[in-house]
Amino acid sequence: MAKIVVIEDEVDLQQILAWNLRSAGHEVFTATHGLDGLALCEDQQPDLVILDRMLPDIPGTQVLLRLRSGAKTSGLKVLMLTACGEESDRIVGFELGADDYVVKPFSVRELLLRIGATLRRGRSEESTPP
């Protein structure tokens, strides 16, 4: 179905996400650090990036800014998946260009539905004539 990069430093959560995404038919690539995730995004050109906000090397917000400013990555769909759930955190995520924002803990079923909706929005935007 879709190519998805998961940038998440909690290895157990990363594995759960990857397993559920693969079970749903997606091709999944994972990174535990922001810089590694950025390189994966440039190399793989995924349909969607699932991005944690708190990473060991650089904040997820910086990853998002770099994705949005990159020539090859500016149009990627990004879903923030983070424990930072205050309204101000969500607002910053959206202002920086996140397409969706999900707060931990979360329902895997809801996350999969949000991923599907985000991917559908991406396809409909591509097919809409200028």
Side-chain angles (χ1 to χ4, degrees):
M1 282 183 67
K3 189 185 296 189
I4 299 175
V5 168
V6 177
I7 308 173
E8 169 61 60
D9 65 324
E10 293 179 46
V11 176
D12 291 342
L13 178 57
Q14 183 192 88
Q15 290 173 346
I16 290 168
L17 289 169
W19 185 86
N20 279 282
L21 291 167
R22 287 183 181 115
S23 295
H26 301 293
E27 183 178 7
V28 181
F29 302 87
T30 60
T32 55
H33 290 76
L35 295 175
D36 294 337
L38 284 168
L40 258 180
C41 289
E42 288 210 9
D43 291 342
Q44 296 300 324
Q45 289 296 293
D47 300 298
L48 177 74
V49 179
I50 298 175
L51 175 62
D52 188 8
R53 187 166 173 163
M54 295 183 287
L55 297 166
D57 55 349
I58 62 173
T61 52
Q62 286 299 310
V63 173
L64 181 55
L65 283 172
R66 291 184 188 189
L67 288 172
R68 291 295 176 239
S69 64
K72 293 171 69 176
T73 59
S74 62
L76 297 180
K77 295 291 181 190
V78 178
L79 183 147
M80 299 284 300
L81 181 65
T82 177
C84 300
E86 297 296 320
E87 179 184 15
S88 59
D89 296 320
R90 294 188 311 270
I91 288 170
V92 166
F94 284 120
E95 286 179 341
L96 294 177
D99 295 285
D100 201 352
Y101 197 102
V102 177
V103 178
K104 297 174 188 174
F106 59 93
S107 155
V108 172
R109 185 170 183 217
E110 179 184 355
L111 179 66
L112 291 173
L113 290 169
R114 285 176 174 267
I115 288 168
T118 302
L119 292 169
R120 280 192 306 278
R121 281 194 301 271
R123 284 192 296 271
S124 67
E125 290 169 4
E126 292 170 3
S127 63
T128 304

